[in-house]
Amino acid sequence: MDLGSLTSGLLTGLREGVEAALIISIILSYLARTGNRHAFGRVFAGAGAAAAVSLVAGIALFVTVGELPSPYEQLFEAAAMLVACAVVTWMLFWMRRTSASIRDQLHGALGRALTDGSATGLAVLAFVSIIREGLETALFLVGQAASARAGAPWILVGALLGMALAAAIGAAMYRGAARINLRVFFRWTGIALIFIAAGLLASAIHELVEVGWINVGTTVVFDLSSVLPHEAMDGAPTGIGLVVGQLLRALVGYNSRPELIMLGAWVVYVGAVLPLYLRPIAPRLPAPARPLEPAA
């Protein structure tokens, strides 16, 4: 078992799954309170279709990576990791900015769909609400799998476990039995994903160094492969040192022989993104009232 890849996939599946479960629970709660329980099936159909499309897209991307010859495989892996890093960064700040108003936005869209009386409106709303989360998750998991290589199957296993746990949390939220503080949950899982995204960025740069696309800052900073290897290598330890190294690689992008530019990219990303993510959200001021026009 690759514990690091399993944990990395679990965190991704849990975080993204809870976001999707939160959206579905809001939709179902609104329908239940407005006497429209008969529309539950349409919501589940739309969400299921979005999950299926995301799964197919993720499998297609992963299979495409494995069929490319060298060095195009490494270049595609680097591109996948860079895209995954960009997607998760955008997703974290989008969720941070809109989490306070997502319930009102969904309620407004639901009200319009019910008023219009469209039979497919709710299914389309659920599909559109979930497909963004699903495609983001697929891209992020493909990037993680490309970085993990041999541990790629454990990334998928961890993601499925995380999504199953997220589904249970979503059911509990709908039934009102959840005691989880979503603000705290999203804050800490967001911090974890920042470090995972930094690891993807660093791994992508390492791939570009290996294929010769980057020739600056390629000096190895340190070499811990004899003590804490990030992957199984000839002459490297295979006990607890390898387990810890693989765990660190999956979670924070650890490399036992990092190049200067690889380590620098990791430090710059974390040093820039983490403070921005943790800064307080400025309260939105109400729009100024329009002055009254003088009577004619």
Side-chain angles (χ1 to χ4, degrees), residues 274-288:
L274 187 59
L276 289 175
Y277 181 75
L278 294 178
R279 78 186 192 280
I281 301 177
R284 295 185 178 180
L285 299 177

Side-chain angles (χ1 to χ4, degrees), residues 93 96 187-188 190-191 194 273-281:
F93 285 98
R96 179 180 182 272
R187 182 180 182 86
W188 284 103
I191 292 173
I194 287 174
V273 175
L274 187 59
L276 289 175
Y277 181 75
L278 294 178
R279 78 186 192 280
I281 301 177

Side-chain angles (χ1 to χ4, degrees), residues 209-224:
V209 169
E210 284 195 334
V211 298
W213 275 44
I214 294 180
N215 298 310
V216 179
T218 58
T219 304
V220 175
V221 180
F222 54 79
D223 187 352
L224 299 179

